[in-house]
Amino acid sequence: MAHRFGRRWAVRGVSLSVARGEVLALIGHNGSGKSTLLRIVATALRATRGAGSVCGADLVRDAVAVRGMVALLSTDPGVYGDLTALE
């Protein structure tokens, strides 16, 4: 799986498999592609190359099913930054 922003690759050559009950931790420097990878798996961003699935559901063709299984809570949602949580 890979994703590119313009000429810069944010994620390239990623292949992983996580079995039911396993826990995966992504560790890396700022800008190493952790958030981009998580956004792809949560279907918030489409991979530039490659394919992926969650419990057999394709990230593109079955995105609605994937969203029912995966949740992404980002520290920077990028939307409505000027509103409070109550608003």
Side-chain angles (χ1 to χ4, degrees):
M1 185 180 320
H3 187 78
R4 186 168 80 183
F5 293 102
R7 292 182 168 181
R8 179 171 287 232
W9 288 99
V11 174
R12 185 170 36 178
V14 173
S15 176
L16 61 96
S17 178
V18 181
R20 184 181 301 263
E22 287 184 328
V23 175
L24 172 71
L26 296 176
I27 300 170
H29 296 285
N30 290 344
S32 64
K34 301 177 303 291
S35 296
T36 300
L37 177 61
L38 292 174
R39 289 175 61 207
I40 291 170
V41 171
T43 73
L45 184 66
R46 197 170 185 170
T48 305
R49 288 190 186 158
S53 64
V54 173
C55 297
D58 185 90
L59 294 177
V60 176
R61 289 189 311 270
D62 305 318
V64 173
V66 171
R67 289 182 195 126
M69 295 182 271
V70 174
L72 175 64
L73 179 60
S74 175
T75 57
D76 180 21
V79 62
Y80 305 123
D82 57 334
L83 297 179
T84 67
L86 181 59
E87 292 171 321

